[in-house]
Amino acid sequence: MQIQDSSSIIKHLRETGQFLALSRSQPDVFKNSITFSLDNGTKVDVLGPGILSFTPRITGGKSIVLSSGIHGNETAPIEICDHYVVDILMEKIALAHRVLFIFGNLPAMDSATRFIDENLNRLFSGAHASAEVNQNSYECSRAKELEHAVSHFYRAEENSEERYHYDLHTAIRPSKNEKFAVYPFLHGKAHSREQLSFLLACGVDTFLLSGSTTTTFSYYSSHQFGAHAFTVELGKVLPFGQNDMSRFSQVRDTLERFICGHTIASKTFKNSDFSIYQVNQVINKTQHDFSLDFSDDLPNFSDFPAGTLLAHETGVEYRTSHDGEAVVFPNANVAIGQRAILTVIPTTLD
Ligand SMILES: [Zn+2]
């Protein structure tokens, strides 16, 4: 089916809710922005392929960004967000707050890969314009587009709104802690216990407190706009249609309650309900022969005694420095100069 003019696009979206499907099959129909309203008064702004925001007639004081598919093969969060968008467009659910949905890497969804040329989640906070990346790549232009969308969305309600950004992912390897979140570096600001409790209600009980600036999407929203922002890992990568959605029911229900303004049963923060880690070592690959000294399918958050050999490359060995030091996101196949392993040690919030 080819649809071209904006009135038939709007009719199609309202009848079927298939914004993501149309963004993937005919991205050009969203080259120019489209605005329309639903019968319940919610304003819909389609800002580009895979990018749309909703503003309910009466807004409840929160501006919420839900992004998925920043890595194209991380399908479960894409399916969850697609479902919300369908239900909102078809008026099966009604929002209480402004919400911006972002489906990140559309071409990589089609090729079932993490990315086409560059890791999109390393290109924010202006990194898409740095000399070290291929600025002509799809991901660089997409990072720039997504920064514009987020900035425009938050700035439209300057000062009056609380800001949130949940960047939803799934991990390449299994994890001892299936659902976990990376809390971006806050430059000395206090971590939000309410946010940890909220994410616990989503089934996320493990947090990694980042100790430095990064070029991830969540750090961008946190640092530039003061948003409560997290990279949330919801489980393991599987192809579209093969996710056991029952494993995601808690996060799906809780996020839906959040955007629709329904009450959420969250517990008061207690350190003992969580596994909280801080970064101990960032190990970058500096040579072609970089190799991991543990098995390829080692789960994230596996821990080791002090002095354990984790990886080596010509002339260098990388070892744990603490008992109980755990590894996260190990990947020997990254480009030279990029992070190959992160190690973490347990901590608590004071
Ligand atoms: Zn990811």
Side-chain angles (χ1 to χ4, degrees):
M1 173 200 43
Q2 286 290 325
I3 43 179
Q4 297 294 349
D5 64 292
S6 63
S7 62
S8 58
I9 296 167
I10 292 168
K11 184 165 178 283
H12 179 73
L13 291 178
R14 294 188 61 181
E15 281 174 5
T16 68
Q18 295 296 322
F19 171 69
L20 175 60
L22 197 54
S23 293
R24 292 178 61 188
S25 63
Q26 296 181 59
D28 284 352
V29 304
F30 298 128
K31 223 166 34 197
N32 301 314
S33 56
I34 301 170
T35 297
F36 59 97
S37 288
L38 304 177
D39 287 339
N40 62 19
T42 299
K43 186 166 156 262
V44 183
D45 289 294
V46 178
L47 304 165
I51 311 173
L52 90 172
S53 72
F54 296 101
T55 305
R57 203 165 45 80
I58 299 163
T59 56
K62 294 178 172 42
S63 291
I64 303 162
V65 178
L66 293 180
S67 52
S68 62
I70 294 299
H71 296 132
N73 60 348
E74 298 177 0
T75 55
I78 300 169
E79 290 175 343
I80 292 170
C81 290
D82 182 33
H83 207 103
Y84 293 147
V85 169
V86 170
D87 283 356
I88 297 164
L89 285 169
M90 296 181 74
E91 301 190 49
K92 292 180 185 166
I93 60 174
L95 295 175
H97 303 287
R98 302 174 68 231
V99 184
L100 170 66
F101 284 94
I102 288 174
F103 299 94
N105 200 327
L106 301 168
M109 289 177 204
D110 293 336
S111 58
T113 53
R114 198 168 158 75
F115 52 80
I116 304 295
D117 296 311
E118 300 262 1
N119 180 351
L120 180 54
N121 208 20
R122 296 282 175 278
L123 294 175
F124 292 93
S125 298
H128 53 77
S130 93
E132 284 138 56
V133 298
N134 172 9
Q135 290 173 28
N136 298 319
S137 68
Y138 167 78
E139 283 84 5
C140 280
S141 64
R142 189 63 168 167
K144 199 169 149 194
E145 225 167 42
L146 299 187
E147 285 186 354
H148 278 170
V150 168
S151 157
H152 180 266
F153 176 72
Y154 284 140
R155 291 207 164 113
E157 293 285 338
E158 197 100 58
N159 302 326
S160 60
E161 305 257 305
E162 281 182 288
R163 295 166 175 174
Y164 302 83
H165 181 178
Y166 303 104
D167 182 32
L168 307 174
H169 291 250
T170 50
I172 304 169
R173 60 181 58 235
S175 179
K176 279 176 76 182
N177 308 55
E178 189 191 55
K179 294 184 173 60
F180 63 97
V182 180
Y183 206 140
F185 182 49
L186 294 181
H187 298 263
K189 275 196 305 180
H191 295 98
S192 164
R193 291 157 171 250
E194 291 75 26
Q195 281 296 295
L196 264 67
S197 295
F198 169 73
L199 285 161
L200 184 64
C202 294
V204 179
D205 62 358
T206 300
F207 285 81
L208 204 164
L209 312 181
S210 176
S212 57
T213 65
T214 55
T215 50
T216 62
F217 203 9
S218 63
Y219 175 79
Y220 171 74
S221 294
S222 170
H223 186 56
Q224 296 287 321
F225 302 103
H228 293 293
F230 296 86
T231 308
V232 187
E233 300 281 351
L234 293 175
K236 195 167 171 337
V237 165
L238 287 171
F240 279 114
Q242 292 184 26
N243 294 297
D244 172 2
M245 293 315 272
S246 69
R247 300 180 81 92
F248 302 97
S249 59
Q250 223 182 330
V251 62
R252 209 175 43 184
D253 295 348
T254 306
L255 279 179
E256 181 174 321
R257 300 187 73 80
F258 183 61
I259 59 180
C260 294
H262 301 150
T263 50
I264 292 160
S266 62
K267 294 163 77 180
T268 310
F269 177 85
K270 270 207 324 271
N271 272 302
S272 55
D273 288 330
F274 295 89
S275 298
I276 303 176
Y277 294 92
Q278 66 184 52
V279 174
N280 191 50
Q281 300 186 58
V282 179
I283 299 173
N284 292 327
K285 172 175 176 173
T286 66
Q287 298 173 66
H288 288 288
D289 63 354
F290 184 96
S291 128
L292 302 174
D293 285 288
F294 44 77
S295 89
D296 244 4
D297 53 0
L298 181 89
N300 275 324
F301 295 102
S302 297
D303 60 87
F304 298 97
T308 308
L309 182 65
L310 296 176
H312 65 275
E313 53 190 350
T314 301
V316 202
E317 288 186 345
Y318 300 100
R319 293 178 183 275
T320 51
S321 62
H322 287 65
D323 282 331
E325 190 167 348
V327 299
V328 201
F329 306 126
N331 185 354
N333 295 321
V334 295
I336 300 275
Q338 288 196 352
R339 185 188 77 198
I341 309 179
L342 203 59
T343 79
V344 298
I345 50 177
T347 185
T348 54
L349 288 193
D350 24 72

